[in-house]
Structure formats: C-alpha cells, structure tokens
Amino acid sequence: DPWFLVMGVFGTYPLNAYGPLFNLLAPVAQFHPLLPKLLFAYAYLLFMVWLVNRREQGRAGLLFVLAWFWCPYAWVELAYFGHFDVLVGLLCVGAIHARAKNREAASGISLGLGALLKYLPVTLFPFLALDRGKIHPRVLASACLTIAAGFLASLLVWGPSTFQPLFF
C-alpha cells in the first residue's frame, strides 16, 4: 500500500501524498535506484532540445534557452536530488502549449496526467478549460476522463487507500 498511514505529532497521515501515477515510478527504481533520476534528466534534456529546435524563437528565445540550461534549479533538483517535479512541470507546459495550439484533447490529457502525478496541476484546470467566458468542453472532458481512469485503475490495484492523500 503506497499510502500507508504513519503516526505523527498531529495524528496519522499518509507517508506518500502524491497521485496514483507517481506509484508507477517505483518499479523503475527497482531495476536500479538511479534509473528514475535518469528518466527525469532525459525528460528535461528532451524538453531543452525541443526548445532549441523551435523555429519561432529568434534571438530572445536563444537567450532564454541558455538561461534555462544554466539555471541551478535543474542541476540541483534533477541531477543531484533526482526530484520528479520536472515530469509534473513538463506535463503542465505540455497542457498549456497544446491549449495554445488548439489541441484541446491533448491539453486535457496532459493536464490530467500531471494531476495524477501530483495534485497541484489541477489549479491550471480553470485557466485551460475557460477562455474569456467560453468553456472548452474537450479540455474539460479529456482531463476529467484521464483523472477518472487513473483513479479507477488505482482503486482497482490499491483499494480505497488511493484517496488517503486527498484527505490529507
């Protein structure tokens, strides 16, 4: 049970307060403990390659890419600590980019996957599903269906403890 409860100063709480998709990273770590860190670094590297290859950037875009590459956050958080927040961030960027390109279903799926990793991307939901009073039903439906499918799969595998982080 990835959400088993531990006793703390203020009562019991789940040791893992992440979404159900986060648990799919555990088998990767069993092959080798550094494999998830490598996955996160490669995801970041692929994003950097994508940024460099964008044609509409111009000179300011190149300066942005250089600043992004030398940002100490990536080197410390990814290379040293191996935090998975880069995956969440990339899924959020993917959702925003897809929405800007009017690929609404892809935007909702990306947002849903980000929320299944860590619940914070849900805060982007109203900004992507609403635009100047207009509701974008494909973003809404694809995000909700992705999240529902993820929770249903987790419920089938781990049972009701799936919802422990939400109550936490």
Side-chain angles (χ1 to χ4, degrees), residues 3-163:
W3 296 286
F4 65 92
L5 297 176
V6 295
M7 183 57 103
V9 178
F10 301 108
T12 59
Y13 60 92
L15 189 60
N16 165 6
Y18 296 124
L21 192 56
F22 173 77
N23 297 321
L24 293 182
L25 297 173
V28 175
Q30 288 194 334
F31 285 109
H32 193 281
L34 294 178
L35 197 54
K37 188 187 282 192
L38 213 61
L39 171 73
F40 308 150
Y42 277 124
Y44 178 76
L45 182 64
L46 287 174
F47 176 66
M48 291 304 302
V49 168
W50 176 76
L51 274 180
V52 168
N53 286 331
R54 290 183 63 198
R55 303 220 188 276
E56 67 265 9
Q57 283 185 7
R59 189 172 180 193
L62 181 61
L63 291 175
F64 170 75
V65 168
L66 288 173
W68 186 273
F69 180 77
W70 289 109
C71 175
Y73 172 80
W75 294 104
V76 172
E77 295 298 314
L78 290 173
Y80 187 72
F81 290 117
H83 291 160
F84 81 103
D85 292 308
V86 69
L87 297 180
V88 179
L90 290 176
L91 285 167
C92 290
V93 169
I96 293 167
H97 181 72
R99 176 63 189 84
K101 298 287 186 182
N102 289 322
R103 295 181 14 229
E104 295 182 358
S107 176
I109 290 169
S110 186
L111 181 63
L113 290 173
L116 286 170
L117 272 173
K118 198 171 189 175
Y119 298 116
L120 193 59
V122 167
T123 58
L124 288 176
F125 195 72
F127 299 103
L128 296 175
L130 301 172
D131 184 22
R132 295 180 206 118
K134 181 184 174 198
I135 297 174
H136 294 275
R138 287 187 182 147
V139 174
L140 190 68
S142 58
C144 288
L145 287 172
T146 302
I147 293 170
F151 270 101
L152 180 62
S154 179
L155 192 60
L156 292 172
V157 174
W158 291 292
S161 67
T162 295
F163 301 108

